[in-house]
Amino acid sequence: MNTTNIIKPYLRLSGLEPLVVRPETNFINVGERTNVTGSKKFARLVREGLYEEALSVARQQVESGAQVLDVNMDDALLDGEKAMTTFLNLLASEPDISRIPVMIDSSKFSVIEAGLKCLQGKCIVNSISLKEGEEKFIEHAVICQSFGASVVVMAFDETGQADTLEKRVSFCHRAYKILTEKVGFDPQDIIFDPNIFAIATGIEEHNNYAVEFIEACRQIKQLMPLVKISGGVSNVSFSFRGNDVVREAMHSVFLLHAIKAGLDMGIVNAGMIQIYDEIEPQLRELCEDAVLNRRPDATERLVNFAETVKAKGKTVEKDEAWRKGTVEERLSHALVNGITDYIDGDTEEARQKYPRPLEVIEGPLMAGMNIVGDLFGSGKMFLPQVVKSARVMKKSVAILTPYIEEEKKLLVAQNGGEIKSAGKILLATVKGDVHDIGKNIVGVVLGCNGYDIIDLGVMVPAEKILQAAREHEVDVIGLSGLITPSLDEMVHIAREMKRQQFDIPLLIGGATTSRTHTAVKIAPEYENGVVHVLDASRSVTVTGSLLNKALHKNFLAGVKDEYVKLNEAFRNKKPVKQYLRLADARQNKVPVNWETFQPVKPKQPGTHVFDNYDLGEIAEYIDWQPFFIAWELHGKFPQILSDEVVGKEATRLYNDAQAMLKRIIDEKWLRARAVIGMFPATSNGMDTVTVTAPDGAEVPLEFLRQQVKKAPGQPNICLSDFIAPATFGKQDYIGGFAVTAGEGIEQWLEKFRKDHDDYSSIMLKALADRLAEAFTELLHERVRKEFWAYATDEHLSNDQLIKEEYLGIRPAPGYPACPEHTEKYKLFDLLNATASTGITLTESLAMYPAASVSGWYFANPQAKYFGLGKIEKDQAEDYAQRKGWTLEEAERWLRPNLEYDM
């Protein structure tokens, strides 16, 4: 008798052991902790290269019941491909972990591909989508299929994220048709993620998100029965972050209905789910109302109830119970939580309680700030909270200061007239540089740890820094800078400290600085301690080690040994990369068919000035991710708002930013000004572009060319490659812009300084920077569609603009494609930028106000952003000749890009 074995169309996954998802299979829990964006411990271990220890996190997930292991290495400080490869190769050798399937999770497909090459069995790729278009979607799907992987398909298309029921279903159905009909995917190997969004946020449009997701699951399963559905379950409860009782209840209620409708799996912390029947009845009903959107006041009722429930044995309450404590307890609570509401009264009460006002600072206030310092150092508190704590401290000290001054004569005899301090730190942004957000944050953090801070501000010359250091008898000097010329100024200050026989340590920080540059260029110039400080969180440890007599000598010796090794390694390094002669690099320029190419003449050539531009319109173009980076909160926006580690504080910060942004707009705190221009231009076929200025003068713009040896078919790019050579007889064009959103900021910064409000000061500077960048984005869009009008049919979302999906580019002098700053003089002259916008250039070519952006417009459809990289001496010599400089002057401006050692 013949028997036929029928292989049923189930989703089949495997590690060392198979996982077959049958109709009777329960909800599949995807372990989320082996994710650098979701687990601080895992991220730290991976960053430190402790991969074997990182495996323990994976083991815990398996032991906790995870059926699939999500692995994500998306971190700006990591080489994602290397980290993914290393971790998955190690994981494969641990049978108790590798027995379950892996979900390779990354927003970079190169990382996904690296992971696919490491895995045995059948894994899941998370994720692919249509947001980059059908061609790229198919390309990624084919690669996944060739490795035998199942795929998570996010509900995105070219226009953005699916946020309605209709879009969720239609986006998924379109992807399904492409995968099954064009790629040949088995339907059961497709897993859709139709986007779970937060509900009960207070925004009416969000109230139906859960209902629409649940209904989308139902319709997707009816339309495409064999596919699976996944989602990030914790997103649904994000608005109740910090209240685990409510969140756990919401997850359970949501899952009950979503699983019934067809949800098969999800990334969720198993510890954040309550048993449905064990949820407190009133809370369960309120969660049902919110999840199913059964009544218009569901959010309000759930919020009110949430304030009364208990989370992990502690009452979550919004009342003022802490006000019943002693004055010391109240001051400590206010400092830790950044509450200024009662600080005047509490400080006065403490002043009357203690014999001397100085004792209030040295006692309860410093005790509170010590708690803040400990919490920040252990990663349990984040930078925005620390800055708020500093605001409370400063307000309290300001109240006590007049009383301390009155007592000073008595204190001279008793205590030298000074408040006890951990040490004096002088901070300054060096001459020619106007950027100080990072420096201010370091000052706040050090101040929170008991150090006296003397902040000299921005654009401070060397002689003023050293004079102030002597006058104040400081223990440490800290220098900051953002632009590359600042590096040379730091070297000069180190030399001056040696010449003037200083014996105190020098700290180096700022965006363009690095440990290697400090070791190679600055440390050899000064023998009494030069230390590079990566960010504010490291400043406390470094300063503490420098000023602790027991640690000072060994700490500096260790740093010196490390820097000597870095210096030797740099001097002796053998170039891994090969470089071309400049003549050969020019032969390998970007291939543009100039015979057939027809440059687009600007619809409105010449210059156009904008004054008092509507800040409300500008704000719609803000890219928020760099805003959080400024506050040392790292993660993608908006995902950072639901991050398990920093999400709660990121949301508070975002809400504060939105509140201030509304005031900036409504009350016109800042004045947005700009000038743009489009001018006739031709290239010489090499690296020079000649521009015809409004007065008819010809202005040569000098650009630099990549010299690293490329793979066959890859050009050595120079910006001049995107302008038609004069020999072809075609009139091409180049544009320029200068934009500021910083005018008017000084009066508000002065107000915040008088109010001892560092938090608002840093917030305003960060928002002004974002508005300047947003204004730049807005004007570039208008240039493409209106003024130059070479892309009149463009329709891009803000996300697409941020991802630079537009035609043409806007590189800025001082940035990777054209890193040499002095061409900015020509840009400003062409635009008459200072007269039109009020922006001025410092001697180091920084722009003032600091919230300013300037650069070039290129319209060529082949134009793309690139990094120059390192250049050889022949190009430095050629550039010096073109600029009319000596080689020494050229090397001074090009130093960060020189491959050779001067």
Side-chain angles (χ1 to χ4, degrees), residues 515-539:
R515 200 167 53 115
T516 300
H517 179 271
T518 303
V520 173
K521 298 293 184 182
I522 305 176
E525 303 294 342
Y526 181 64
E527 298 173 351
N528 290 314
V530 179
V531 185
H532 178 255
V533 181
L534 184 64
D535 56 36
S537 62
R538 313 284 175 89
S539 62

Side-chain angles (χ1 to χ4, degrees), residues 292-304:
L292 300 179
N293 195 18
R294 296 195 300 203
R295 50 189 295 165
D297 61 348
T299 297
E300 184 182 353
R301 295 174 75 234
L302 183 57
V303 168
N304 291 338

Side-chain angles (χ1 to χ4, degrees), residues 618-619 621-623 769-779:
I618 293 171
Y621 289 75
I622 288 178
D623 175 7
D769 284 351
R770 289 299 86 220
L771 286 168
E773 294 287 353
F775 196 8
T776 304
E777 192 75 79
L778 183 161
L779 286 178

